[in-house]
Amino acid sequence: RPTLPQEAEFLVIDNGSTDGSGAIGESFGARVVTTDNRAGFLTGLNAAFTASTRHWVWFLQNDVLVGPGTFAAMQDAANLHSWRNVLQPVLYQQGGALNHAGGRYYWPGYGVGHRTVPRGKGTVVPIELFATACFAMTRDTYEWVGPFDEQFAPAYYEDVDYSLRLARLGIPRYLALRAQARHV
């Protein structure tokens, strides 16, 4: 069970699951938000931002595990970049191979992700594309850019679309170099 900062809020967005996720989340002190699942994952993304009362919203898909120190590393990066932006940890696959560390994607969906973790001197490096599997975004960013487009259901290329929308508005996307998560 991770230790969250005192001001953190833990939400479980229940999109009609039948696996008891809501009850499990409640047992850990989470607030459960139920949605109608009309667009599945994207409904959940938008519901998380609507329901949260915090400046930063950190979204984890149900198949993402965070590594030791990830919350602290994301917090450190957030303290340096606290206005309009998106932060993403380095995502690995179950076997340890790199899953996502930013990259360049071309519409409609052909693209190349980084093959290694980009190097940087600080706690973050800029990336062009963030992955919606695991990311943190300020509420101000979400309110400025608007909701995720639920027409991308069942959630393919929503991260490309949102990254392009962010880029058009000059809003940076960062990879938090010391934060790690596993997308299983």
Side-chain angles (χ1 to χ4, degrees):
R1 180 175 179 165
T3 302
L4 298 175
Q6 195 169 20
E7 67 277 1
E9 174 181 40
F10 182 30
L11 304 173
V12 171
I13 309 300
D14 188 346
N15 276 352
S17 67
T18 59
D19 63 1
S21 300
I24 293 167
E26 284 178 336
S27 75
F28 283 95
R31 181 164 52 104
V32 177
V33 176
T34 304
T35 67
D36 64 6
N37 198 27
R38 69 181 182 282
F41 170 67
L42 297 175
T43 301
L45 271 176
N46 289 325
F49 283 95
T50 301
S52 175
T53 61
R54 302 301 191 251
H55 174 66
W56 278 98
V57 177
W58 187 6
F59 189 87
L60 299 161
Q61 281 184 9
N62 61 344
D63 60 350
V64 172
L65 305 172
V66 295
T70 297
F71 285 113
M74 291 289 281
Q75 181 82 31
D76 288 347
N79 289 339
L80 296 173
H81 304 278
S82 64
W83 193 51
R84 285 189 188 136
N85 66 70
V86 176
L87 295 170
Q88 175 194 315
V90 179
L91 289 172
Y92 292 95
Q93 296 173 1
Q94 182 64 19
L98 187 62
N99 178 287
H100 195 275
R104 172 174 282 167
Y105 281 73
Y106 301 95
W107 196 258
Y110 172 78
V112 179
H114 293 301
R115 296 181 190 272
T116 61
V117 177
R119 296 188 184 269
K121 293 184 179 189
T123 59
V124 299
V125 293
I127 56 175
E128 293 181 50
L129 174 77
F130 77 98
T132 53
C134 181
F135 69 97
M137 183 187 305
T138 64
R139 169 164 309 291
D140 187 61
T141 300
Y142 181 79
E143 290 171 356
W144 187 262
V145 178
F148 287 84
D149 188 344
E150 294 181 8
Q151 293 181 10
F152 282 98
Y156 296 106
Y157 305 119
E158 80 287 344
D159 42 15
V160 175
D161 172 64
Y162 215 84
S163 291
L164 288 171
R165 290 164 60 193
L166 291 163
R168 286 185 188 127
L169 293 171
I171 299 172
R173 288 82 54 219
Y174 295 111
L175 182 70
L177 294 170
R178 294 188 329 236
Q180 296 183 2
R182 196 163 304 276
H183 195 180
V184 298

